[in-house]
Amino acid sequence: MNTKTYNLTASAFNWNISENKTIEAWGFNNSVPGPILRASKGDTLVVKVKNDLPEPTIIHWHGIRLESSMDGTDSTQRPIQPGEEFEYRFSLPDSGTFWYHSHHNETKQMEKGMYGALIVDDPADPVFDGEKIFVIDDMKLNKNGSFKKGNPVSNWIERHDGREGETLLINGKENPVFNIAGGQIERWRFINASSARYFYLYTGGKQFKIIGSDGGLMQKAEVTDRVLIVPGERVEIEAGPYNEGETILIESLPYNRMTFVKNKRRQYATVMVRKNEESVARIPDTLRIIEPLAPADAPVNRKIKLSVGASLKHGIDFLVNGTVHTEDDPVEVGKLQVWEVANTSLMDHPFHLHGFFFQVLEENGKPVENIKWKDTINLTPRSKVKIAWLPDNRPGSWMYHCHILEHHEAGMMGHFEVVSPETAQSSPASVHRHHVHHHH
Ligand SMILES: [Cu+2]
């Protein structure tokens, strides 16, 4: 167990997304995405964040089971002011594909590039011939590389659909080219860092195996030729072997999430298959054992309803249990949570729980076969999922929210406390709220 220390400086800078296209980015260490942070399971990660932006920021560590005080939200810390530094320090209990991103004024800060990958290795992981990390994003830019401001009509569409742009990026570049040797098998990690764009991974009809989800490897791989990756979500696949001379396109198929603006099949990156090399990959059928937290028919102890309502002030509101920026009831350490999350609206929403992994027990009343660890799950229109999660001993403020950033900002989120049993037994008034809400 080691301590890994990184320094991140948040600032504004010019960034080349292709040979002759420069954007006015915000990001970490003059790079979009920020540097890849990497450590091993059990390590302590120390990240010293310096804010050289003209406005405050906060960094959230998406998918890490850390202490509430390190979660990086407005509920758990004072924003890092311009010129200030803040040290994040937490241990890494799980291996897998995680990421970090701004959690303050995020519709602006994340759109401008404030995100990066955080990879946690496990020496017990299967052996691959290589690895690639694909951080997916889109930006809505003017011809000169500045970020488009909304007019009244497009603002309204942005509020409803979330902000999508026509500049498609993988690792901060337009249509980058990658190489893989023929005959080799690689671990490809996908992170959807976009504000609202649904990425429907397709590699030209070639089959691949889904091997990992938000919380690391799955028990059993799933063979497919496409997989939906919603904002905030991670998917790991086993790619290859391919034949020397082939070209593999990293594409996104159309996915209708019931927005005004419909998306098309789009190309994000190209992978060239080079000279054959011998494979040393060793990937077992059982990737790891995942014990179910609860049977599929476990009784629900909380219901959460995501909905969209008419609003006099905004035209449309994004609601949890009928209200914006909901204060939900506390949960007790050690008490299994079985939540029914229902989407009664006519559009999709990616539901994200901070700080804890859940298992999806049922989707629309049907038991889920291949149990995975998740922190972000898509809900299609008029659907519901039953999820189970266990609050381990990390009391404090936590939240869940829609990961379409414009919906989150508009109120589709809930705050709740994880409380130790002693606190729960005393009067409910002893649970204080310290939230600072940010309405824009
Ligand atoms: Cu949403």
Side-chain angles (χ1 to χ4, degrees):
M1 317 236 169
N2 300 308
T3 297
K4 279 282 204 91
T5 304
Y6 288 95
N7 291 289
L8 293 181
T9 301
S11 69
F13 53 92
N14 290 326
W15 175 252
N16 292 331
I17 56 171
S18 61
E19 239 166 68
N20 41 28
K21 254 199 244 176
T22 303
I23 63 164
E24 301 162 358
W26 285 10
F28 302 99
N29 299 6
N30 296 320
S31 169
V32 177
I36 295 167
L37 309 185
R38 194 152 202 151
S40 293
K41 185 177 167 174
D43 284 355
T44 295
L45 190 67
V46 177
V47 188
K48 295 173 183 175
V49 177
K50 170 102 198 297
N51 183 9
D52 279 348
L53 292 169
E55 64 179 49
T57 192
I58 299 177
I59 312 305
H60 171 57
W61 312 91
H62 189 126
I64 306 294
R65 293 192 297 136
L66 35 59
E67 300 299 313
S68 162
S69 61
M70 291 289 130
D71 192 38
T73 73
D74 291 323
S75 305
T76 59
Q77 74 172 95
R78 181 177 157 272
I80 312 166
Q81 302 299 312
E84 277 187 3
E85 279 185 39
F86 186 86
E87 184 182 289
Y88 291 93
R89 176 185 289 266
F90 46 86
S91 60
L92 302 165
D94 307 289
S95 57
T97 304
F98 309 107
W99 64 301
Y100 60 96
H101 62 80
S102 161
H103 211 283
H104 187 80
N105 194 12
E106 58 189 6
T107 51
K108 176 178 179 185
Q109 295 190 1
M110 278 181 69
E111 166 73 356
K112 283 172 160 279
M114 291 185 64
Y115 58 79
L118 166 49
I119 307 297
V120 183
D121 296 306
D122 184 342
D125 275 356
V127 177
F128 293 86
D129 295 311
E131 178 203 70
K132 297 191 196 318
I133 299 167
F134 297 98
V135 186
I136 300 149
D137 191 15
D138 64 337
M139 289 177 175
K140 197 170 176 181
L141 302 172
N142 293 307
K143 287 227 158 53
N144 68 2
S146 59
F147 285 83
K148 255 190 190 144
K149 289 199 179 69
N151 59 50
V153 174
S154 71
N155 265 348
W156 198 80
I157 293 173
E158 249 179 53
R159 184 177 171 87
H160 180 275
D161 287 6
R163 182 177 168 106
E164 285 190 293
E166 283 309 300
T167 304
L168 307 178
L169 303 175
I170 293 266
N171 301 346
K173 300 287 179 187
E174 277 191 300
N175 200 11
V177 176
F178 296 86
N179 296 302
I180 183 173
Q184 295 218 315
I185 297 172
E186 291 192 339
R187 181 178 193 167
W188 290 0
R189 303 171 186 264
F190 290 86
I191 301 167
N192 188 342
S194 68
S195 304
R197 184 173 286 268
Y198 278 40
F199 182 82
Y200 199 2
L201 173 65
Y202 189 68
T203 53
K206 298 222 175 276
Q207 291 204 323
F208 53 81
K209 287 180 186 167
I210 305 171
I211 55 167
S213 58
D214 299 325
L217 293 171
M218 305 184 332
Q219 181 157 315
K220 210 170 69 214
E222 290 171 11
V223 179
T224 184
D225 67 353
R226 66 197 67 190
V227 58
L228 185 66
I229 310 172
V230 300
E233 203 175 24
R234 286 86 67 214
V235 166
E236 297 184 20
I237 70 167
E238 180 185 320
Y242 302 118
N243 299 317
E244 185 177 330
E246 277 186 300
T247 298
I248 311 295
L249 299 181
I250 305 293
E251 294 180 279
S252 178
L253 293 175
Y255 177 84
N256 186 357
R257 59 185 180 89
M258 306 309 284
T259 45
F260 292 123
V261 182
K262 305 285 189 251
N263 53 55
K264 305 182 183 78
R265 181 172 174 174
R266 299 291 301 270
Q267 183 180 328
Y268 279 71
T270 306
V271 182
M272 310 292 292
V273 186
R274 305 298 184 185
K275 220 159 81 39
N276 273 322
E277 279 177 43
E278 202 163 329
S279 175
V280 297
R282 283 195 317 278
I283 303 137
D285 285 343
T286 301
L287 297 161
R288 69 158 164 174
I289 303 291
I290 298 179
E291 302 288 352
L293 280 176
D297 61 358
V300 168
N301 52 30
R302 181 171 302 195
K303 287 188 175 183
I304 292 169
K305 190 178 84 176
L306 311 178
S307 67
V308 170
S311 151
L312 285 176
K313 197 169 161 199
H314 301 113
I316 182 170
D317 267 338
F318 290 86
L319 309 167
V320 171
N321 297 340
T323 173
V324 292
H325 302 278
T326 304
E327 296 290 341
D328 209 336
D329 293 332
V331 305
E332 201 177 309
V333 168
K335 200 170 167 194
L336 181 74
Q337 299 298 305
V338 181
W339 291 4
E340 180 191 280
V341 186
N343 172 17
T344 63
S345 78
L346 300 177
M347 63 192 302
D348 291 48
H349 299 285
F351 174 87
H352 170 47
L353 174 67
H354 277 226
F356 301 86
F357 293 120
F358 55 81
Q359 296 178 347
V360 180
L361 304 180
E362 281 184 357
E363 277 175 347
N364 295 314
K366 290 200 193 79
V368 171
E369 292 289 319
N370 196 8
I371 295 285
K372 325 163 186 181
W373 290 112
K374 297 286 296 165
D375 58 46
T376 307
I377 179 83
N378 190 51
L379 280 116
T380 54
R382 288 188 166 144
S383 70
K384 61 182 181 187
V385 294
K386 190 201 275 187
I387 64 171
W389 65 280
L390 190 68
D392 53 285
N393 193 19
R394 287 175 296 128
S397 290
W398 298 98
M399 62 172 65
Y400 54 78
H401 61 82
C402 175
H403 220 285
I404 291 175
L405 303 181
E406 288 70 21
H407 296 177
H408 177 198
E409 184 179 78
M412 192 173 266
M413 67 167 312
H415 295 275
F416 66 96
E417 301 276 331
V418 170
V419 295
S420 50
E422 308 85 71
T423 316
Q425 277 153 22
S426 61
S427 83
S430 68
V431 181
H432 293 290
R433 300 279 160 165
H434 314 276
H435 308 302
V436 185
H437 292 296
H438 290 260
H439 299 280
H440 299 272

